[in-house]
Amino acid sequence: HVQLVESGGGSVQAGGSLRLSCAASRYTYSTYCMGWFRQAPGKEREGVAAIYPGGGSTYYADSVKGRFTISQDNAKNTLTLQMNGLSPEDTAMYYCAAAVRMCGSDSYRVPHMFDYWGQGTQVTVS
């Protein structure tokens, strides 16, 4: 079992940056696919980015490519999402998720592929 705790959300003006962090309760590097999802009111949960260090791969939704960067700190069991160039369309609850399997360019965006979820952190861009 893995517990995930997100932090770093908040309110920012358009064009600004935020850095989200997700602390995992156990070692997840190399064997887990770690991802970030977001969900805006009235919309479906959307896969934003994922990383699978075991395969040396990262994946990004087209809507965030070039603006967001996902990374993982092995020593600290921490997943990070650096978000730059934020726009109001990025406003949502952001969730960290872990899958006990590898992920690919299609599967990283599928919520039910992930086994563990954090409680979410709100990002508001005005």
Side-chain angles (χ1 to χ4, degrees), residues 33-64:
C33 175
M34 300 296 296
W36 287 98
F37 286 77
R38 66 186 181 187
Q39 188 165 20
K43 294 189 177 181
E44 293 185 353
R45 191 164 294 193
E46 172 191 20
V48 174
I51 186 167
Y52 181 63
S57 301
T58 56
Y59 308 98
Y60 296 94
D62 288 343
S63 59
V64 307

Side-chain angles (χ1 to χ4, degrees), residues 11-116:
S11 297
V12 65
Q13 291 188 336
S17 300
L18 282 173
R19 186 178 181 90
L20 304 184
S21 293
C22 172
S25 62
R26 57 169 291 177
Y27 181 82
T28 60
Y29 194 82
S30 82
T31 57
Y32 285 64
C33 175
M34 300 296 296
W36 287 98
F37 286 77
R38 66 186 181 187
Q39 188 165 20
K43 294 189 177 181
E44 293 185 353
R45 191 164 294 193
E46 172 191 20
V48 174
I51 186 167
Y52 181 63
S57 301
T58 56
Y59 308 98
Y60 296 94
D62 288 343
S63 59
V64 307
K65 203 170 291 184
R67 299 187 298 123
F68 291 11
T69 302
I70 189 171
S71 61
Q72 191 167 16
D73 186 325
N74 178 29
K76 297 181 180 179
N77 289 346
T78 301
L79 181 73
T80 298
L81 185 68
Q82 177 66 43
M83 305 186 295
N84 299 327
L86 287 163
S87 71
E89 289 70 32
D90 296 314
T91 294
M93 184 72 78
Y94 283 70
Y95 298 91
C96 172
V100 190
R101 60 188 60 82
M102 65 179 295
C103 52
S105 57
D106 292 322
S107 60
Y108 84 92
R109 66 182 78 220
V110 180
H112 69 251
M113 200 202 78
F114 288 79
D115 304 288
Y116 304 104

